[in-house]
Amino acid sequence: MSENRWEGIDEFVAVAECSQFTAAAERLGVSSSHVSRQIVRLEERLQTRLLYRSTRRVTLTEAGQTFLQHCQRLQDGREEALRAVGDLTSEPKGMLRMTCAVAYGERFIVPLVTRFMGLYPQLRVDIELSNRTLDLVHEGLDLAIRLGRLQDSRLVATRLAPRRMYVCASSSYVERYGRPHSLSELSRHNCLIGSSDIWQLEQNGKEFSQRVQGNWRCNSGQAVLDAALQGAGLCQLPDYYVLEHLNSGALISLLDAHQPPNTAVWALYPQQRHLSPKVRKLVDFLKGGLAERPEYRS
C-alpha cells in the first residue's frame, strides 16, 4: 500500500510557524498527539530530523529550514490551484477599477464594459479615462487598456485587437500640394501635429521615428482628423479614426511603404499567477466585442 506523500506536510508547517505543537494543533483543529505522530512519520519517511523539541519551544534543524520553504510553496500552489478551478465557475462580482485613454475608451471600451455589467449584476466598475499612463499597482487598478507598444514589463499583457497607423491627407490637399513619395519629402508638407511631433514609420525594415513640423497642433485625435478632412495638412492617426474616410475616398493613404509595423490594443494587469473572474472574463469579453466592430473586421 503506497503511503500518502502529503501526510504530515500541513502539520509540519503549522508547528514550524507556531513554534509549538499545542498552538499548531489549535490552528489545524486536531489534537497535539495527532500532530506529533504525523511529524514523527514524516521524519521517518525522509530519514532526517526536521525539528529540535524542548519543553517550551520547537526549533527547526537545517534540514527543517530548507524543507519548510519548499512546503510553504507547495501549500501556496495547492491553494492557488483550488482557487483557479473554483473561479472557472465563479461569476464576476465586487469592485473592478480600470483605466483607458479618453477617446478610445469613450468610443470602444466603455460601451462594452456597460454591456458586460448587464450580464453580471453583482459587479461594480470604476473607469478612469485618462491619457496619462497610470501606475496600476500604485493607483490600485485591476486593469488598463493601452494602445501602441508596451513599455512596462512588470505587467501581464493580453492582445485585444490590432492597431495600424496611417499617414494620410484629404483629396483636396493632395490635389493642391501633391503627395510625398519618401520620408525626406515630409519636410515639404504641413503636418498636423497631435500629442507628439514624432511620427512612427518604417524604413529599411526597421521602425523609424520622424520629427515633423507644421502650423497646427492639438492634443485631440478627433480634432486632428477634422483638420485633415478640411485639407489643412497631413496627419498620422490610428485605423479606427481614418478607415471610414479612407474607404469613402475623403482621405488618401500616403507613404504606405513606410507604414510602421502593427502595434496593438492591449489589456494589462499586475503580474500574478491567477486572474480573478472579473478581470479574466472582462478581458475575454472585450476581445470578443472588439472583434465584432467593423473597424477590426478583415
Side-chain angles (χ1 to χ4, degrees):
M1 185 175 178
S2 60
E3 56 194 6
N4 185 351
R5 287 181 171 272
W6 283 94
E7 203 170 56
I9 297 292
D10 291 335
E11 289 84 356
F12 166 69
V13 172
V15 171
E17 291 178 348
C18 296
S19 299
Q20 287 184 335
F21 280 85
T22 303
E26 289 177 357
R27 178 200 283 191
L28 297 174
V30 296
S31 66
S32 297
S33 59
H34 170 83
V35 172
S36 180
R37 282 197 305 272
Q38 291 298 323
I39 290 180
V40 168
R41 291 172 183 172
L42 180 63
E43 288 178 323
E44 290 175 350
R45 291 204 308 274
L46 295 173
Q47 296 185 341
T48 188
R49 173 170 287 191
L50 300 173
L51 303 170
Y52 292 121
R53 300 159 175 82
S54 69
T55 54
R56 292 187 177 182
R57 188 173 179 83
V58 177
T59 57
L60 293 169
T61 65
E62 183 178 355
Q65 291 172 348
T66 300
F67 192 57
L68 175 64
Q69 295 174 7
H70 290 281
C71 289
Q72 288 171 328
R73 286 198 293 270
L74 283 171
Q75 283 186 329
D76 290 342
R78 181 181 61 188
E79 293 304 312
E80 187 69 24
L82 292 171
R83 284 196 299 270
V85 172
D87 283 344
L88 290 176
T89 57
S90 297
E91 286 201 353
K93 58 185 176 180
M95 173 65 76
L96 188 152
R97 299 190 64 234
M98 63 181 294
T99 183
C100 183
V102 177
Y104 192 83
E106 290 175 340
R107 182 173 170 186
F108 291 89
I109 299 300
V110 173
L112 287 172
V113 173
T114 303
R115 281 172 49 192
F116 182 76
M117 290 184 67
L119 300 174
Y120 301 104
Q122 295 186 68
L123 181 68
R124 294 178 296 132
V125 176
D126 183 346
I127 309 172
E128 181 167 351
L129 296 182
S130 173
N131 293 330
R132 294 185 300 114
T133 302
L134 302 179
D135 186 311
L136 271 67
V137 176
H138 183 262
E139 300 284 346
L141 295 166
D142 300 295
L143 178 66
I145 308 302
R146 291 189 180 156
L147 314 174
R149 296 194 177 280
L150 300 179
Q151 304 295 331
D152 196 338
S153 60
R154 298 173 304 164
L155 301 174
V156 179
T158 297
R159 186 177 183 271
L160 296 180
R163 180 176 181 263
R164 187 177 288 275
M165 300 295 292
Y166 288 86
V167 173
C168 48
S170 69
S171 54
S172 63
Y173 179 92
V174 172
E175 288 173 6
R176 186 173 181 182
Y177 298 103
R179 63 168 66 206
H181 296 285
S182 65
L183 296 185
S184 62
E185 293 181 33
L186 276 177
S187 60
R188 304 176 193 172
H189 290 268
N190 189 49
C191 295
L192 304 171
I193 299 171
S195 57
S196 173
D197 61 355
I198 302 294
W199 288 4
Q200 298 302 319
L201 299 157
E202 184 177 73
Q203 188 173 42
N204 300 323
K206 296 181 180 180
E207 191 167 349
F208 174 74
S209 297
Q210 172 79 42
R211 187 177 297 277
V212 297
Q213 56 187 3
N215 63 5
W216 189 100
R217 180 169 191 157
C218 181
N219 65 341
S220 162
Q222 185 61 48
V224 172
L225 173 63
D226 291 341
L229 288 169
Q230 292 184 52
L234 275 59
C235 70
Q236 186 182 54
L237 287 169
D239 43 21
Y240 49 87
Y241 278 111
V242 301
L243 281 181
E244 174 187 351
H245 305 288
L246 291 172
N247 292 333
S248 71
L251 291 178
I252 297 173
S253 181
L254 306 169
L255 299 172
D256 290 342
H258 297 285
Q259 195 174 63
N262 280 0
T263 56
V265 180
W266 303 94
L268 284 84
Y269 32 89
Q271 280 188 351
Q272 51 191 19
R273 288 176 296 176
H274 170 67
L275 279 178
S276 65
K278 60 186 178 183
V279 174
R280 185 186 69 249
K281 292 188 177 182
L282 176 56
V283 168
D284 290 342
F285 188 84
L286 291 175
K287 189 172 183 178
L290 290 174
E292 295 174 357
R293 297 273 311 206
E295 296 89 346
Y296 294 114
R297 290 177 185 162
S298 300

